[in-house]
Amino acid sequence: MQYQCELFEQTAQPALSIRTRSSVDNLPQVLRNAYMEIIQYLNEIHEQPSGAPFVAYYNMDMQDLEIEVGFPVSREFPEKDKIKPSEIPTGKHASCMHIGPYSQIEPAYDALMQWAAENGHTPTGISYEFYLNDPRETPENQLQTRITFPLK
């Protein structure tokens, strides 16, 4: 698959998220539970997400992923239990779109890393995946995942 990578300027984006750890095998259940908790909280405070759900990956240890699961929101909201206000950081980000199964996303990461290096950019080591359509309603080969790397 050919990946189109680009540079963009991210403005600070408030979010509500749950920071946790998971193995890659348990990731679907961990994400589902976290998204459900956050949506329930948003419903309680009569708010809606202001963008696509995301996961921030703070490492790539497939047995012990440190992740932040969340939704962009319109403004900062108070924390509740495990749900904390957070922020998608401002600054330059590199991005590409992966279309297809989540299990086949690695080449998109490779393409984005190569593009960043070839263009003189250094990722911070954190990556974001934004899930642009619902895997419960979308065929696996049509899933859209926007990958972004904040840059130093």
Side-chain angles (χ1 to χ4, degrees):
M1 177 177 223
Q2 189 77 300
Y3 291 99
Q4 182 73 29
C5 301
E6 64 182 9
L7 182 68
F8 71 98
E9 191 71 33
Q10 172 72 48
T11 57
Q13 172 63 62
L16 281 174
S17 62
I18 295 174
R19 195 149 173 179
T20 189
R21 299 183 94 87
S22 175
S23 70
V24 73
D25 294 336
N26 292 332
L27 203 52
Q29 182 177 348
V30 169
L31 298 184
R32 184 174 35 258
N33 292 343
Y35 290 138
M36 287 175 52
E37 280 184 61
I38 297 167
I39 288 294
Q40 182 178 351
Y41 175 51
L42 286 168
N43 286 338
E44 288 171 14
I45 60 174
H46 307 290
E47 293 290 339
Q48 294 292 315
S50 63
F54 69 87
V55 175
Y57 292 89
Y58 291 91
N59 70 7
M60 286 296 159
D61 178 346
M62 296 301 143
Q63 298 310 309
D64 187 26
L65 292 165
E66 182 181 352
I67 58 175
E68 179 181 345
V69 183
F71 287 95
V73 291
S74 60
R75 60 184 171 83
E76 188 174 313
F77 294 101
E79 68 180 71
K80 179 183 179 194
D81 302 322
K82 296 183 291 187
I83 303 168
K84 310 285 186 215
S86 63
E87 181 178 271
I88 298 167
T90 190
K92 292 188 185 318
H93 288 227
S95 175
C96 77
M97 180 73 73
H98 171 72
I99 299 175
Y102 301 137
S103 63
Q104 296 174 13
I105 203 167
E106 188 174 344
Y109 274 84
D110 295 342
L112 192 53
M113 289 295 290
Q114 181 178 342
W115 181 89
E118 289 173 354
N119 288 278
H121 302 294
T122 305
T124 63
I126 300 169
S127 61
Y128 286 84
E129 292 181 2
F130 294 88
Y131 306 109
L132 304 183
N133 47 16
D134 188 336
R136 297 171 299 181
E137 301 171 0
T138 305
E140 197 174 52
N141 67 340
Q142 294 176 20
L143 292 172
Q144 297 176 2
T145 308
R146 184 170 170 240
I147 304 164
T148 70
F149 294 166
L151 302 171
K152 294 181 182 177

